[in-house]
PDB file of all heavy atoms in Angstrom:
ATOM      1  N   ASN A  71     -10.187 -26.236  27.267  1.00  0.00           N
ATOM      2  CA  ASN A  71     -11.387 -25.808  26.475  1.00  0.00           C
ATOM      3  C   ASN A  71     -11.004 -25.159  25.242  1.00  0.00           C
ATOM      4  O   ASN A  71      -9.985 -24.530  25.059  1.00  0.00           O
ATOM      5  CB  ASN A  71     -12.286 -24.864  27.425  1.00  0.00           C
ATOM      6  CG  ASN A  71     -12.925 -25.622  28.498  1.00  0.00           C
ATOM      7  OD1 ASN A  71     -13.102 -26.846  28.414  1.00  0.00           O
ATOM      8  ND2 ASN A  71     -13.394 -24.960  29.507  1.00  0.00           N
ATOM      9  N   LYS A  72     -11.994 -25.242  24.300  1.00  0.00           N
ATOM     10  CA  LYS A  72     -11.882 -24.550  22.978  1.00  0.00           C
ATOM     11  C   LYS A  72     -13.239 -23.845  22.835  1.00  0.00           C
ATOM     12  O   LYS A  72     -14.271 -24.366  23.033  1.00  0.00           O
ATOM     13  CB  LYS A  72     -11.625 -25.570  21.926  1.00  0.00           C
ATOM     14  CG  LYS A  72     -11.608 -25.023  20.527  1.00  0.00           C
ATOM     15  CD  LYS A  72     -11.451 -26.113  19.479  1.00  0.00           C
ATOM     16  CE  LYS A  72      -9.998 -26.548  19.302  1.00  0.00           C
ATOM     17  NZ  LYS A  72      -9.159 -25.620  18.587  1.00  0.00           N
ATOM     18  N   ALA A  73     -13.160 -22.484  22.524  1.00  0.00           N
ATOM     19  CA  ALA A  73     -14.334 -21.654  22.316  1.00  0.00           C
ATOM     20  C   ALA A  73     -14.421 -21.265  20.889  1.00  0.00           C
ATOM     21  O   ALA A  73     -13.429 -20.905  20.269  1.00  0.00           O
ATOM     22  CB  ALA A  73     -14.338 -20.447  23.222  1.00  0.00           C
ATOM     23  N   GLY A  74     -15.642 -21.232  20.307  1.00  0.00           N
ATOM     24  CA  GLY A  74     -15.900 -20.766  18.986  1.00  0.00           C
ATOM     25  C   GLY A  74     -16.809 -19.520  19.058  1.00  0.00           C
ATOM     26  O   GLY A  74     -17.880 -19.541  19.805  1.00  0.00           O
ATOM     27  N   LEU A  75     -16.427 -18.442  18.328  1.00  0.00           N
ATOM     28  CA  LEU A  75     -17.268 -17.266  18.329  1.00  0.00           C
ATOM     29  C   LEU A  75     -17.186 -16.517  17.086  1.00  0.00           C
ATOM     30  O   LEU A  75     -16.294 -16.694  16.292  1.00  0.00           O
ATOM     31  CB  LEU A  75     -16.992 -16.389  19.560  1.00  0.00           C
ATOM     32  CG  LEU A  75     -15.522 -15.983  19.768  1.00  0.00           C
ATOM     33  CD1 LEU A  75     -15.467 -14.589  20.457  1.00  0.00           C
ATOM     34  CD2 LEU A  75     -14.751 -16.937  20.647  1.00  0.00           C
ATOM     35  N   LYS A  76     -18.098 -15.577  16.900  1.00  0.00           N
ATOM     36  CA  LYS A  76     -18.119 -14.734  15.802  1.00  0.00           C
ATOM     37  C   LYS A  76     -18.368 -13.279  16.226  1.00  0.00           C
ATOM     38  O   LYS A  76     -19.193 -13.046  17.132  1.00  0.00           O
ATOM     39  CB  LYS A  76     -19.341 -15.116  14.801  1.00  0.00           C
ATOM     40  CG  LYS A  76     -19.513 -14.238  13.614  1.00  0.00           C
ATOM     41  CD  LYS A  76     -20.662 -14.806  12.757  1.00  0.00           C
ATOM     42  CE  LYS A  76     -20.724 -13.977  11.546  1.00  0.00           C
ATOM     43  NZ  LYS A  76     -21.826 -14.555  10.677  1.00  0.00           N
ATOM     44  N   LEU A  77     -17.602 -12.347  15.682  1.00  0.00           N
ATOM     45  CA  LEU A  77     -17.744 -10.904  16.006  1.00  0.00           C
ATOM     46  C   LEU A  77     -17.927 -10.174  14.742  1.00  0.00           C
ATOM     47  O   LEU A  77     -17.328 -10.429  13.722  1.00  0.00           O
ATOM     48  CB  LEU A  77     -16.432 -10.434  16.692  1.00  0.00           C
ATOM     49  CG  LEU A  77     -16.066 -11.102  18.052  1.00  0.00           C
ATOM     50  CD1 LEU A  77     -14.579 -11.415  18.066  1.00  0.00           C
ATOM     51  CD2 LEU A  77     -16.439 -10.150  19.194  1.00  0.00           C
ATOM     52  N   THR A  78     -18.816  -9.157  14.749  1.00  0.00           N
ATOM     53  CA  THR A  78     -18.987  -8.334  13.584  1.00  0.00           C
ATOM     54  C   THR A  78     -19.148  -6.863  14.029  1.00  0.00           C
ATOM     55  O   THR A  78     -19.629  -6.548  15.124  1.00  0.00           O
ATOM     56  CB  THR A  78     -20.316  -8.712  12.830  1.00  0.00           C
ATOM     57  OG1 THR A  78     -21.406  -8.499  13.667  1.00  0.00           O
ATOM     58  CG2 THR A  78     -20.293 -10.100  12.311  1.00  0.00           C
ATOM     59  N   SER A  79     -18.680  -6.017  13.078  1.00  0.00           N
ATOM     60  CA  SER A  79     -18.835  -4.543  13.310  1.00  0.00           C
ATOM     61  C   SER A  79     -18.753  -3.855  11.945  1.00  0.00           C
ATOM     62  O   SER A  79     -18.440  -4.524  10.912  1.00  0.00           O
ATOM     63  CB  SER A  79     -17.663  -3.998  14.238  1.00  0.00           C
ATOM     64  OG  SER A  79     -17.996  -2.696  14.559  1.00  0.00           O
ATOM     65  N   THR A  80     -19.121  -2.620  11.958  1.00  0.00           N
ATOM     66  CA  THR A  80     -19.002  -1.792  10.724  1.00  0.00           C
ATOM     67  C   THR A  80     -18.137  -0.569  10.952  1.00  0.00           C
ATOM     68  O   THR A  80     -18.319   0.075  11.989  1.00  0.00           O
ATOM     69  CB  THR A  80     -20.446  -1.354  10.253  1.00  0.00           C
ATOM     70  OG1 THR A  80     -21.225  -2.549   9.942  1.00  0.00           O
ATOM     71  CG2 THR A  80     -20.387  -0.543   8.955  1.00  0.00           C
ATOM     72  N   ILE A  81     -17.294  -0.303  10.128  1.00  0.00           N
ATOM     73  CA  ILE A  81     -16.403   0.831  10.244  1.00  0.00           C
ATOM     74  C   ILE A  81     -16.659   1.864   9.105  1.00  0.00           C
ATOM     75  O   ILE A  81     -17.062   1.432   8.039  1.00  0.00           O
ATOM     76  CB  ILE A  81     -14.867   0.594  10.348  1.00  0.00           C
ATOM     77  CG1 ILE A  81     -14.368  -0.063   8.974  1.00  0.00           C
ATOM     78  CG2 ILE A  81     -14.573  -0.379  11.476  1.00  0.00           C
ATOM     79  CD1 ILE A  81     -12.891   0.014   8.856  1.00  0.00           C
ATOM     80  N   LYS A  82     -16.494   3.061   9.379  1.00  0.00           N
ATOM     81  CA  LYS A  82     -16.545   4.130   8.395  1.00  0.00           C
ATOM     82  C   LYS A  82     -15.195   4.294   7.829  1.00  0.00           C
ATOM     83  O   LYS A  82     -14.348   4.856   8.478  1.00  0.00           O
ATOM     84  CB  LYS A  82     -17.157   5.457   9.013  1.00  0.00           C
ATOM     85  CG  LYS A  82     -18.460   5.405   9.709  1.00  0.00           C
ATOM     86  CD  LYS A  82     -19.509   5.237   8.743  1.00  0.00           C
ATOM     87  CE  LYS A  82     -20.885   5.253   9.405  1.00  0.00           C
ATOM     88  NZ  LYS A  82     -21.948   4.915   8.573  1.00  0.00           N
ATOM     89  N   ARG A  83     -14.928   3.835   6.673  1.00  0.00           N
ATOM     90  CA  ARG A  83     -13.576   3.786   6.141  1.00  0.00           C
ATOM     91  C   ARG A  83     -12.918   5.122   6.051  1.00  0.00           C
ATOM     92  O   ARG A  83     -11.729   5.280   6.230  1.00  0.00           O
ATOM     93  CB  ARG A  83     -13.521   3.034   4.788  1.00  0.00           C
ATOM     94  CG  ARG A  83     -14.230   3.749   3.643  1.00  0.00           C
ATOM     95  CD  ARG A  83     -14.002   3.112   2.308  1.00  0.00           C
ATOM     96  NE  ARG A  83     -14.710   3.785   1.309  1.00  0.00           N
ATOM     97  CZ  ARG A  83     -14.381   4.876   0.732  1.00  0.00           C
ATOM     98  NH1 ARG A  83     -13.264   5.510   1.047  1.00  0.00           N
ATOM     99  NH2 ARG A  83     -15.162   5.511  -0.186  1.00  0.00           N
ATOM    100  N   GLU A  84     -13.673   6.212   5.659  1.00  0.00           N
ATOM    101  CA  GLU A  84     -13.112   7.513   5.554  1.00  0.00           C
ATOM    102  C   GLU A  84     -12.680   8.152   6.848  1.00  0.00           C
ATOM    103  O   GLU A  84     -11.765   8.957   6.881  1.00  0.00           O
ATOM    104  CB  GLU A  84     -14.072   8.450   4.791  1.00  0.00           C
ATOM    105  CG  GLU A  84     -14.254   8.082   3.333  1.00  0.00           C
ATOM    106  CD  GLU A  84     -15.100   9.076   2.531  1.00  0.00           C
ATOM    107  OE1 GLU A  84     -16.091   9.607   3.176  1.00  0.00           O
ATOM    108  OE2 GLU A  84     -14.803   9.280   1.349  1.00  0.00           O
ATOM    109  N   GLU A  85     -13.199   7.653   7.923  1.00  0.00           N
ATOM    110  CA  GLU A  85     -12.671   8.120   9.303  1.00  0.00           C
ATOM    111  C   GLU A  85     -11.283   7.650   9.544  1.00  0.00           C
ATOM    112  O   GLU A  85     -10.543   8.143  10.398  1.00  0.00           O
ATOM    113  CB  GLU A  85     -13.595   7.609  10.415  1.00  0.00           C
ATOM    114  CG  GLU A  85     -14.969   8.235  10.372  1.00  0.00           C
ATOM    115  CD  GLU A  85     -15.849   7.733  11.491  1.00  0.00           C
ATOM    116  OE1 GLU A  85     -15.412   6.834  12.309  1.00  0.00           O
ATOM    117  OE2 GLU A  85     -17.037   8.205  11.674  1.00  0.00           O
ATOM    118  N   PHE A  86     -10.864   6.613   8.797  1.00  0.00           N
ATOM    119  CA  PHE A  86      -9.478   6.183   8.958  1.00  0.00           C
ATOM    120  C   PHE A  86      -8.576   6.465   7.738  1.00  0.00           C
ATOM    121  O   PHE A  86      -7.540   5.835   7.522  1.00  0.00           O
ATOM    122  CB  PHE A  86      -9.515   4.584   9.126  1.00  0.00           C
ATOM    123  CG  PHE A  86     -10.220   4.174  10.407  1.00  0.00           C
ATOM    124  CD1 PHE A  86     -11.602   3.885  10.366  1.00  0.00           C
ATOM    125  CD2 PHE A  86      -9.577   4.205  11.615  1.00  0.00           C
ATOM    126  CE1 PHE A  86     -12.290   3.538  11.596  1.00  0.00           C
ATOM    127  CE2 PHE A  86     -10.207   3.826  12.813  1.00  0.00           C
ATOM    128  CZ  PHE A  86     -11.532   3.527  12.753  1.00  0.00           C
ATOM    129  N   ASN A  87      -9.094   7.403   6.909  1.00  0.00           N
ATOM    130  CA  ASN A  87      -8.342   7.873   5.652  1.00  0.00           C
ATOM    131  C   ASN A  87      -8.147   6.641   4.750  1.00  0.00           C
ATOM    132  O   ASN A  87      -7.065   6.572   4.153  1.00  0.00           O
ATOM    133  CB  ASN A  87      -7.022   8.576   6.018  1.00  0.00           C
ATOM    134  CG  ASN A  87      -7.234   9.865   6.637  1.00  0.00           C
ATOM    135  OD1 ASN A  87      -8.262  10.518   6.387  1.00  0.00           O
ATOM    136  ND2 ASN A  87      -6.373  10.313   7.477  1.00  0.00           N
ATOM    137  N   LEU A  88      -9.027   5.745   4.643  1.00  0.00           N
ATOM    138  CA  LEU A  88      -8.981   4.640   3.727  1.00  0.00           C
ATOM    139  C   LEU A  88      -9.742   4.958   2.427  1.00  0.00           C
ATOM    140  O   LEU A  88     -10.997   4.975   2.495  1.00  0.00           O
ATOM    141  CB  LEU A  88      -9.608   3.379   4.416  1.00  0.00           C
ATOM    142  CG  LEU A  88      -8.930   2.955   5.618  1.00  0.00           C
ATOM    143  CD1 LEU A  88      -9.699   1.749   6.262  1.00  0.00           C
ATOM    144  CD2 LEU A  88      -7.511   2.511   5.463  1.00  0.00           C
ATOM    145  N   GLY A  89      -8.999   5.305   1.410  1.00  0.00           N
ATOM    146  CA  GLY A  89      -9.686   5.668   0.120  1.00  0.00           C
ATOM    147  C   GLY A  89     -10.548   6.932   0.201  1.00  0.00           C
ATOM    148  O   GLY A  89     -11.595   6.971  -0.380  1.00  0.00           O
ATOM    149  N   LYS A  90     -10.095   7.903   1.022  1.00  0.00           N
ATOM    150  CA  LYS A  90     -10.879   9.092   1.184  1.00  0.00           C
ATOM    151  C   LYS A  90     -11.272   9.764  -0.130  1.00  0.00           C
ATOM    152  O   LYS A  90     -10.379   9.954  -0.927  1.00  0.00           O
ATOM    153  CB  LYS A  90     -10.136  10.070   2.137  1.00  0.00           C
ATOM    154  CG  LYS A  90     -11.032  11.140   2.741  1.00  0.00           C
ATOM    155  CD  LYS A  90     -10.416  11.593   3.975  1.00  0.00           C
ATOM    156  CE  LYS A  90     -11.498  12.508   4.636  1.00  0.00           C
ATOM    157  NZ  LYS A  90     -11.455  12.500   6.043  1.00  0.00           N
ATOM    158  N   GLY A  91     -12.471  10.040  -0.321  1.00  0.00           N
ATOM    159  CA  GLY A  91     -12.972  10.759  -1.562  1.00  0.00           C
ATOM    160  C   GLY A  91     -13.185   9.807  -2.711  1.00  0.00           C
ATOM    161  O   GLY A  91     -13.464  10.284  -3.810  1.00  0.00           O
ATOM    162  N   MET A  92     -12.991   8.499  -2.550  1.00  0.00           N
ATOM    163  CA  MET A  92     -13.162   7.622  -3.689  1.00  0.00           C
ATOM    164  C   MET A  92     -14.565   7.171  -3.593  1.00  0.00           C
ATOM    165  O   MET A  92     -15.017   6.139  -2.998  1.00  0.00           O
ATOM    166  CB  MET A  92     -12.238   6.387  -3.572  1.00  0.00           C
ATOM    167  CG  MET A  92     -10.742   6.835  -3.723  1.00  0.00           C
ATOM    168  SD  MET A  92      -9.666   5.431  -3.700  1.00  0.00           S
ATOM    169  CE  MET A  92      -8.100   6.233  -3.784  1.00  0.00           C
ATOM    170  N   SER A  93     -15.459   7.800  -4.400  1.00  0.00           N
ATOM    171  CA  SER A  93     -16.911   7.594  -4.427  1.00  0.00           C
ATOM    172  C   SER A  93     -17.379   6.301  -4.912  1.00  0.00           C
ATOM    173  O   SER A  93     -18.475   5.902  -4.453  1.00  0.00           O
ATOM    174  CB  SER A  93     -17.555   8.779  -5.193  1.00  0.00           C
ATOM    175  OG  SER A  93     -17.187   8.741  -6.536  1.00  0.00           O
ATOM    176  N   PRO A  94     -16.751   5.470  -5.815  1.00  0.00           N
ATOM    177  CA  PRO A  94     -17.261   4.262  -6.202  1.00  0.00           C
ATOM    178  C   PRO A  94     -17.282   3.201  -4.998  1.00  0.00           C
ATOM    179  O   PRO A  94     -17.991   2.194  -5.019  1.00  0.00           O
ATOM    180  CB  PRO A  94     -16.350   3.738  -7.235  1.00  0.00           C
ATOM    181  CG  PRO A  94     -15.564   4.880  -7.733  1.00  0.00           C
ATOM    182  CD  PRO A  94     -15.527   5.815  -6.545  1.00  0.00           C
ATOM    183  N   ILE A  95     -16.484   3.535  -3.970  1.00  0.00           N
ATOM    184  CA  ILE A  95     -16.344   2.539  -2.821  1.00  0.00           C
ATOM    185  C   ILE A  95     -17.330   2.943  -1.759  1.00  0.00           C
ATOM    186  O   ILE A  95     -17.425   4.140  -1.343  1.00  0.00           O
ATOM    187  CB  ILE A  95     -14.977   2.556  -2.281  1.00  0.00           C
ATOM    188  CG1 ILE A  95     -13.919   2.290  -3.356  1.00  0.00           C
ATOM    189  CG2 ILE A  95     -14.777   1.544  -1.175  1.00  0.00           C
ATOM    190  CD1 ILE A  95     -12.532   2.536  -2.942  1.00  0.00           C
TER     191      ILE A  95
END
């Protein structure tokens, strides 16, 4: 068998120290 699927989510980037304090993003 072959399965096709889609998963979506939203992360809060600053919770992961991704560009913390960079307000244009």
Side-chain angles (χ1 to χ4, degrees):
N71 287 341
K72 181 181 276 283
L75 55 151
K76 180 178 183 176
L77 299 137
T78 59
S79 190
T80 301
I81 65 162
K82 304 284 186 194
R83 68 172 175 81
E84 290 185 324
E85 290 181 359
F86 297 94
N87 290 330
L88 300 173
K90 200 157 186 144
M92 294 185 183
S93 60
I95 305 167

